[in-house]
Amino acid sequence: GQQVMQIPQYQHVQEGEDFTTYCNSSTTLSNIQWYKQRPGGHPVFLIQLVKSGEVKKQKRLTFQFGEAKKNSSLHITATQTTDVGTYFCAEDTGTASKLTFGTGTRLQVTL
Amino acid sequence: EAQVTQNPRYLITVTGKKLTVTCSQNMNHEYMSWYRQDPGLGLRQIYYSMNVEVTDKGDVPEGYKVSRKEKRNFPLILESPSPNQTSLYFCASRWGQGKSEQYFGPGTRLTVT
């Protein structure tokens, strides 16, 4: 099946440092969604990117969709302890109910 | 409040003892899915349903059954659970075809001994 690779698997930063997670596919993505899962919680939708080269911002979070629609990134500026959790990208095939998730990047933020 | 509910939240059972995890959504969503989450493997889809009486296999369907008799409910059935089905399970729902966010339930942590 479709493989969506996500790197890194884990990152530990100090509060105030920036953080980026990358999502890569071997094929062209229809669109990409990003989710955040807090420790002990469930995934919560953050955003969806549809267009080639699209960039969207949510406060300190910046989401990008590659020009070739084969990769995406989530960048957090000046991390805070509230950013702790696992970030997943997910490809939406646009058919049926198929969302293929990346393996996730676990972010740990310390003071 | 729009939500997806699952029960039970925690379950410890023994090999071979049939169990059902219930899932219900109050958003009139057409699409519902079940995922399992395991360390290092992310979220893998078990089964999904596009509407009442329409279900299909996801990536890891072996050992699981589902049914969709009503739009709001999508139970996950383990007829004969085995230890390799010990996992964290999430039910999810979304609107019609494509390009819509998915709402997840709170999760069910299942341990099979």
Side-chain angles (χ1 to χ4, degrees), chain A residues 63-75:
Chain A
F63 303 85
Q64 289 190 321
F65 204 4
E67 291 290 342
K69 298 184 76 173
K70 288 188 174 182
N71 56 74
S72 181
S73 65
L74 158 59
H75 179 81

Side-chain angles (χ1 to χ4, degrees), chain A residues 30-87:
Chain A
S30 170
N31 61 77
I32 197 118
Q33 298 183 358
W34 285 91
Y35 291 78
K36 176 184 179 181
Q37 183 179 20
R38 293 181 187 275
H42 58 275
V44 174
F45 175 81
L46 293 176
I47 210 158
Q48 178 171 267
L49 305 172
V50 178
K51 299 177 184 175
S52 167
E54 189 170 16
V55 178
K56 287 188 177 180
K57 293 192 175 185
Q58 289 179 351
K59 297 182 180 178
R60 293 178 295 104
L61 276 61
T62 302
F63 303 85
Q64 289 190 321
F65 204 4
E67 291 290 342
K69 298 184 76 173
K70 288 188 174 182
N71 56 74
S72 181
S73 65
L74 158 59
H75 179 81
I76 303 179
T77 303
T79 55
Q80 300 175 357
T81 54
T82 53
D83 296 324
V84 166
T86 301
Y87 293 85

